[in-house]
Amino acid sequence: MKALLTGGAGFIGGNLARELVALGYEVVALGRRACPVAGVKSIEAARLDPETLRRAMSAEHFDFVFHLAAAGVHPADRNREELIRVNATLPAEVVSAARDAGVSSVVLMGSSAEYAGPQTGLLTEDMLLESGKIYGASKAAGGLLALATAAECGLPVAVLRAFNVFGPGEAEHRLLPSLVANLTRGEAVSLSLGTQIRDFVYVDDACNGLIAAATALSGSRMRSGAYNLSTGIGVSVADFARTVARRMNADDGLLRFGALPLRPDDLPEVVGDPSSLQSAAMWRANCSLEEGVTEALRRIGLD
């Protein structure tokens, strides 16, 4: 089996490439930077655009396409034109190119930011989508256009709206690496109150969900659509931080809750209902928060 992967140099993409290689897939990563995973063939392109996608897909036959490339992953990156081009427009081009290249199925990485807030209870795929924030709105638009293109051309496609994925390989500004860096040095960690409830998904579980969706789509066991890549379990940011400190045997007094203000747009609760993906792809998150943090720290080298 052969898979084309965009975003393979990123956090989830790199972990997905590693998992695919371990399962025996041939993996070709297309992106601006080379995928660092051994055994992956990298095609570097200065810009991901329709022509580049079609050229890569026509060069060899792929069974699956995993489209994880996105703009605006870093909160400071809010260039409107690039967000619209990469997040809103490009996914439909990926689907169209995959159909023309004879790909069996396409899985696109969506985001929990696609849901408008605040909404109470578990978020289901039919809830109101974001229209007031450019990142979430651009991701939502991209997913909708990709699914409409899939329906038009008859290609099985799934958009997996990932919630708070964590694990080895995260960017330095994110919660887990920030905690690890400071606690390793015995330094205080400035945090918000930590009352925000989030749905933390260990990255290996997320990758297994992506692969399960691609397989179920190509086997006609799963319908095209948007699905939550989530656990359904809400955990406070404070409890996540305390779990990391405990597993590192660090002094939790270094966790300075309330030292940072809550962001004005920080929603009090974002937890996804995973039941649709569970029933369609026979997938569920296997790692508890404790297990995920423990495994992440082991792979970072802090066991």
Side-chain angles (χ1 to χ4, degrees), residues 136-162:
S138 68
K139 290 292 290 182
L144 292 172
L145 289 170
L147 291 172
T149 303
E152 185 177 78
C153 68
L155 179 66
V157 172
V159 177
L160 299 195
R161 293 173 179 155

Side-chain angles (χ1 to χ4, degrees), residues 26-27 63 90 105 156 167 187 200 251 257 266 270 288 299:
E26 291 183 62
V27 181
D63 300 287
L90 194 60
S105 64
E187 297 176 357
F200 292 98
D251 178 8
F257 296 111
D266 213 354
V270 183
S288 66
R299 286 173 54 190

Side-chain angles (χ1 to χ4, degrees), residues 183 186-189 245-246 248-256:
L183 295 176
E187 297 176 357
V189 188
R246 183 171 65 254
M248 291 181 65
N249 294 314
D251 178 8
D252 64 6
L254 294 171
L255 304 175
R256 303 293 169 81

Side-chain angles (χ1 to χ4, degrees), residues 45-85:
R47 179 182 173 92
L48 272 185
D49 54 31
E51 292 73 23
T52 302
L53 289 165
R54 289 184 179 278
R55 191 160 53 245
M57 288 188 206
S58 63
E60 46 195 310
H61 174 72
F62 295 100
D63 300 287
F64 303 140
V65 170
F66 296 96
H67 179 55
L68 275 65
V73 176
H74 193 292
D77 179 10
R78 288 296 178 267
N79 181 287
R80 185 175 62 85
E81 289 76 14
E82 191 68 359
L83 288 169
I84 292 171
R85 184 188 74 82

Side-chain angles (χ1 to χ4, degrees), residues 225-280:
Y227 296 86
N228 287 336
L229 189 62
S230 61
T231 70
I233 299 170
V235 176
S236 72
V237 169
D239 282 345
F240 182 92
R242 292 189 184 102
T243 300
V244 173
R246 183 171 65 254
R247 298 308 304 169
M248 291 181 65
N249 294 314
D251 178 8
D252 64 6
L254 294 171
L255 304 175
R256 303 293 169 81
F257 296 111
L260 298 176
L262 288 170
R263 295 197 309 268
D265 61 349
D266 213 354
L267 299 175
E269 182 174 351
V270 183
V271 181
D273 182 348
S275 58
S276 292
L277 186 60
Q278 287 175 351
S279 60

Side-chain angles (χ1 to χ4, degrees), residues 187-208:
E187 297 176 357
V189 188
S190 295
L191 298 161
S192 69
L193 288 173
T195 54
Q196 313 95 306
I197 303 298
R198 295 293 181 263
D199 192 326
F200 292 98
V201 185
Y202 185 56
V203 67
D204 285 4
D205 280 335
C207 292
N208 289 334

Side-chain angles (χ1 to χ4, degrees), residues 95-253:
V95 173
S96 177
R99 187 278 309 269
D100 292 346
V103 173
S104 297
S105 64
V106 176
V107 178
L108 307 166
M109 178 60 78
S111 170
S112 61
E114 295 176 38
Y115 292 111
Q119 300 184 72
T120 58
L122 293 180
L123 295 171
T124 58
E125 291 83 355
D126 59 355
M127 282 186 165
L128 185 66
L129 297 181
E130 183 61 72
S131 62
K133 301 172 188 174
I134 187 64
Y135 175 72
S138 68
K139 290 292 290 182
L144 292 172
L145 289 170
L147 291 172
T149 303
E152 185 177 78
C153 68
L155 179 66
V157 172
V159 177
L160 299 195
R161 293 173 179 155
F163 281 65
N164 288 67
V165 181
F166 73 96
E170 289 186 73
E172 293 180 358
H173 71 277
R174 288 168 60 90
L175 180 58
L176 176 63
S178 298
L179 289 164
V180 169
N182 284 54
L183 295 176
T184 299
R185 297 190 297 263
E187 297 176 357
V189 188
S190 295
L191 298 161
S192 69
L193 288 173
T195 54
Q196 313 95 306
I197 303 298
R198 295 293 181 263
D199 192 326
F200 292 98
V201 185
Y202 185 56
V203 67
D204 285 4
D205 280 335
C207 292
N208 289 334
L210 290 161
I211 297 168
T215 304
L217 284 169
S218 64
S220 301
R221 300 188 306 276
M222 176 174 168
R223 298 178 61 182
S224 293
Y227 296 86
N228 287 336
L229 189 62
S230 61
T231 70
I233 299 170
V235 176
S236 72
V237 169
D239 282 345
F240 182 92
R242 292 189 184 102
T243 300
V244 173
R246 183 171 65 254
R247 298 308 304 169
M248 291 181 65
N249 294 314
D251 178 8
D252 64 6

